[in-house]
Amino acid sequence: MSDRLATRTPTGPVVSRHPALRAAVRLRLTTAYVLLLTVTASWLATQGHAERARFVRHNSSNVHHMEVGKWWTMITSGLVVDGVPAWAGIAAVAAVLGLAEWRWGPARAGAVFVFGHLGATLLTEGAMWVMVTARIPGALSRARDVGISYGLVATGACLLTLGPPALRRYGLSALALVLATAWALNQQLADAGHLVALGLGVLASRTAWLRTRAAPTPPPRPTPTT
């Protein structure tokens, strides 16, 4: 291995000097998720329309799949970029989840993302199940429900809430306004789920486990001179 890419520390292990490799090692959760999304998107791009539709249908976390015990769709649905170009969704994950992992570490960043994804999915599909049970017109038990957006919105909302006061005040308000406008215009299940994910992200920011990690480190006190 060249000296440009790596060096040996006094304790022995090899440490990369290349900025991209260092970032990939530090952001291992984001790197792994981005690779999974890229592999899935690349495979889907090689498939025909019917096969892509079949894959999305079988991995949608909808009421029907919950009723028949296919709970694993709550995980696999988060491996599909839907509603936007794949490169845009993957770039958004790299930026938002990467920033969260950089600030909080992989465990906390992953927990917030999964909390938003699973929490918003359960709440929206639970509401849909009630509508289906009550035979409310428009309720669908086999709705298309895949994507990365619930976890992404929750993580972004959490970052904004724990950010500087101006960013928290204006950034979070702008995000809420955009999501509320989308829901008012489209009235889609995913739009309601985005608002739920926003609330879950704000809720996650209130936990001591996360706030302690996100709090800035106070500067060292000067040593008194005698």
Side-chain angles (χ1 to χ4, degrees):
M1 187 175 294
S2 68
D3 292 338
R4 178 176 177 271
L5 294 179
T7 185
R8 184 169 296 277
T9 65
T11 56
V14 175
V15 179
S16 170
R17 287 181 176 178
H18 197 286
L21 294 179
R22 285 204 308 270
V25 170
R26 178 169 178 178
L27 304 178
R28 53 190 179 275
L29 171 67
T30 303
T31 301
Y33 191 35
V34 164
L35 286 175
L36 282 173
L37 292 174
T38 302
V39 169
T40 305
S42 300
W43 177 78
L44 286 174
T46 66
Q47 305 302 304
H49 176 75
E51 181 60 30
R52 289 197 300 269
R54 178 179 175 276
F55 183 83
V56 169
R57 184 171 66 252
H58 282 288
N59 288 280
S60 290
S61 50
N62 52 37
V63 172
H64 170 70
H65 283 155
M66 302 304 171
E67 289 180 334
V68 299
K70 293 184 177 180
W71 292 86
W72 48 264
T73 57
M74 296 183 65
I75 302 299
T76 58
S77 63
L79 299 178
V80 182
V81 179
D82 189 47
V84 296
W87 64 265
I90 294 172
V93 167
V96 176
L97 184 59
L99 178 58
E101 187 176 2
W102 189 275
R103 291 189 59 189
W104 310 329
R108 288 172 173 82
V112 172
F113 192 95
V114 171
F115 176 61
H117 175 72
L118 296 183
T121 299
L122 284 171
L123 290 171
T124 53
E125 292 303 332
M128 184 64 75
W129 176 82
V130 172
M131 294 172 63
V132 170
T133 303
R135 301 183 183 277
I136 297 176
L140 300 174
S141 64
R142 298 174 184 262
R144 174 192 180 111
D145 191 7
V146 295
I148 58 176
S149 56
Y150 291 168
L152 200 60
V153 168
T155 306
C158 195
L159 281 168
L160 290 172
T161 305
L162 292 173
L167 186 63
R168 180 169 62 249
R169 183 179 303 113
Y170 300 112
L172 192 61
S173 299
L175 178 60
L177 179 61
V178 168
L179 297 179
T181 301
W183 178 79
L185 293 176
N186 300 323
Q187 296 286 310
Q188 297 295 317
L189 177 67
D191 297 315
H194 294 151
L195 288 171
V196 172
L198 174 73
L200 293 176
V202 173
L203 180 63
S205 72
R206 304 298 183 185
T207 60
W209 183 58
L210 195 59
R211 294 181 73 88
T212 301
R213 177 73 176 186
T217 305
R221 294 182 179 180
T223 304
T225 57
T226 56

